[in-house]
Amino acid sequence: MITHMRRKSEHLVLAGMLKKLARRIGAHVTLEPEWNIAGQIRYKNGLNRYFRYNTLDLNPVGASDIAKDKGYANFFMRRMGYPTIPGKTFFSDEWCKAIESKRNIHAAYRYARRLGLALSSSKSFPVIVKPNSGTQGIDVALVRNKKEFYRAMRAIFKHDRVALVQRVVTGKDYRIVVLDKEVISAYERIPLNVVGNGHSTIKQLLAKKSREFIASSRDTRIKLNDPRIAAKLKYQGRSLVNIPSRGEQVFLLDNANLSSGGDSVDVTKQIHPAFKKLAIKLTRDMGLRLCGVDLMVDGTITDKPNKYWVLEINAAPGLDHYVKTGQAQQKIVENLYLKVLKSLAK
Ligand SMILES: Nc1ncnc2c1ncn2[C@@H]1O[C@H](COP(=O)(O)OP(=O)(O)O)[C@@H](O)[C@H]1O
Ligand SMILES: [Mg+2]
């Protein structure tokens, strides 16, 4: 419940919007009043549909469950020929014991070294580690040495018994949202960063950014003491007390999730038709109707697909990434949810 409470304002925005939009199509939304997260949509023809925050009655439960498990989802996507990121799952000590596996944190480290060294001849071995069933970029870390690797893996194993070690891929990070046979939204995601003004420290700039997120009730958590931020700054020869020059952009995280403070740039109108086709096909191939397809593109999404990777798929994508930035954006988001409400009745 803690996370539900922390994000209550966000839930209220979404729930309130669904309530209002349902009325337009003659449907009625009943919200469970204590937490305002769970709701029932009653359509004119007597059909009932349900939702719990971003989880709507659109996707089958089997496909949704596979989508939530990055290891499983990668297996099926790879088998169908989609370019997934090379990687492997490893288990917490407890889970290793339970399933009698030797794929523990030390085996993970040996794998990471091989994976990293295959790519770079330097002492550093960047690899990505992440919880197998994570969301919102929580505990996703780019690690460059043994110490960072073990710290990040132990953090993962506090909440997930399965961790994924992956190759680092580079490019532009995009989210494409598919509803049935249509791309309803697409945007680039840029990792948490601050832009200097010549006199504030990174810590001050970050605190300011944090306050702005809270003021706009954005569902974002930035922890000033996040070890990933410290590691990323250190790698750049900086620290939180460093003062960037005016206009200088400093990146603080390697994951581009909006939930961890990333920025979004809408590309719905610019996305190349071949990328649209690909996202729609992938959604269908994974048994989903509503899906957030996350791609890392070497190049840009406005060009024909050349080199790209499927980062992951999301069966319960939020559609409100720009809900708070203005009236026009509010309209766009409302139209997206109206489409979803109509699709739910099918
Ligand atoms: N292998 C990778 N190489 C480079 N960046 C990655 C990699 N895996 C994840 N990322 C970055 O971290 C973000 C979150 O990773 P993801 O696997 O989608 O986890 P989550 O489910 O928490 O969003 C991605 O959107 C991307 O920006
Ligand atoms: Mg993601």
Side-chain angles (χ1 to χ4, degrees):
M1 265 322 166
I2 298 288
T3 54
H4 292 164
M5 277 156 56
R6 193 185 295 151
R7 294 188 283 145
K8 198 155 184 179
S9 56
E10 183 83 3
H11 295 304
L12 283 171
V13 173
L14 175 58
M17 180 160 52
L18 287 176
K19 225 180 156 98
K20 183 176 106 185
L21 295 172
R23 249 180 258 135
R24 273 201 226 163
I25 54 167
H28 181 76
V29 168
T30 306
L31 283 178
E32 184 279 330
E34 189 175 7
W35 303 103
N36 290 293
I37 293 165
Q40 177 195 60
I41 311 160
R42 200 174 187 94
Y43 289 90
K44 270 188 296 202
N45 61 4
L47 188 70
N48 279 354
R49 293 285 192 243
Y50 293 85
F51 63 89
R52 180 178 180 157
Y53 190 42
N54 279 333
T55 304
L56 299 141
D57 253 350
L58 264 173
N59 291 325
V61 287
S64 300
D65 226 50
I66 297 293
K68 270 184 227 148
D69 186 302
K70 296 184 207 293
Y72 282 157
N74 275 340
F75 167 77
F76 291 108
M77 291 192 288
R78 192 162 50 242
R79 273 215 59 163
M80 289 185 283
Y82 291 98
T84 57
I85 302 170
K88 201 169 164 176
T89 49
F90 295 89
F91 315 117
S92 68
D93 285 342
E94 277 166 9
W95 195 233
C96 274
K97 232 181 246 157
I99 62 172
E100 293 177 21
S101 170
K102 290 198 170 78
R103 256 153 67 196
N104 62 10
I105 193 166
H106 308 298
Y109 179 66
R110 289 191 293 273
Y111 175 78
R113 275 198 69 90
R114 260 187 287 132
L115 199 60
L117 287 172
L119 292 169
S120 88
S121 50
S122 68
K123 283 191 294 285
S124 64
F125 69 115
V127 291
I128 290 272
V129 298
K130 62 175 87 166
N132 189 48
S133 307
T135 58
Q136 306 189 322
I138 296 166
D139 288 337
V140 176
L142 186 150
V143 294
R144 296 181 186 81
N145 54 50
K146 187 171 185 175
K147 201 172 148 209
E148 283 179 14
F149 179 86
Y150 274 86
R151 189 211 58 75
M153 289 291 276
R154 294 214 160 96
I156 291 167
F157 287 140
K158 278 191 188 146
H159 307 287
D160 200 324
R161 52 198 187 192
V162 185
L164 211 54
V165 178
Q166 283 187 336
R167 220 182 96 186
V168 180
V169 292
T170 51
K172 289 183 187 249
D173 188 311
Y174 295 98
R175 157 70 54 93
I176 307 170
V177 185
V178 175
L179 176 61
D180 289 324
K181 289 189 165 77
E182 199 191 343
V183 167
I184 59 169
S185 157
Y187 50 96
E188 185 188 343
R189 301 180 298 178
I190 299 157
L192 175 66
N193 64 87
V194 291
V195 178
N197 57 15
H199 58 83
S200 303
T201 62
I202 292 174
K203 190 174 175 175
Q204 288 166 334
L205 293 166
L206 203 49
K208 182 163 168 274
K209 199 157 194 174
S210 251
R211 285 195 298 273
E212 285 163 7
F213 287 153
I214 291 164
S216 60
S217 77
R218 209 178 119 167
D219 169 24
T220 298
R221 323 116 176 258
I222 301 175
K223 282 198 303 192
L224 284 170
N225 60 353
D226 189 329
R228 295 177 303 177
I229 294 180
K232 178 131 183 107
L233 284 173
K234 195 173 163 205
Y235 185 69
Q236 300 171 72
R238 296 178 188 267
S239 75
L240 281 172
V241 295
N242 192 264
I243 300 174
S245 54
R246 175 177 287 276
E248 190 184 6
Q249 187 178 33
V250 180
F251 286 94
L252 301 164
L253 286 175
D254 291 295
N255 64 298
N257 303 72
L258 302 189
S259 309
S260 51
D263 298 324
S264 69
V265 181
D266 194 78
V267 295
T268 313
K269 293 212 168 75
Q270 293 87 354
I271 175 173
H272 192 279
F275 269 117
K276 277 193 190 175
K277 222 172 131 183
L278 180 124
I280 292 165
K281 185 169 183 299
L282 175 58
T283 298
R284 193 185 138 84
D285 281 345
M286 292 308 288
L288 298 168
R289 292 184 59 197
L290 175 66
C291 179
V293 174
D294 292 351
L295 303 179
M296 187 71 90
V297 177
D298 184 357
T300 95
I301 207 149
T302 53
D303 294 334
K304 215 169 86 207
N306 177 24
K307 200 168 166 202
Y308 68 93
W309 295 267
V310 180
L311 275 166
E312 68 154 344
I313 51 164
N314 289 277
L319 304 179
D320 49 353
H321 67 284
Y322 34 29
V323 72
K324 294 99 195 168
T325 43
Q327 290 283 316
Q329 284 81 0
Q330 171 83 24
K331 265 239 128 51
I332 295 171
V333 174
E334 286 190 2
N335 282 333
L336 295 183
Y337 276 106
L338 200 57
K339 277 186 183 169
V340 167
L341 279 175
K342 286 178 185 164
S343 298
L344 265 168
K346 283 179 213 155

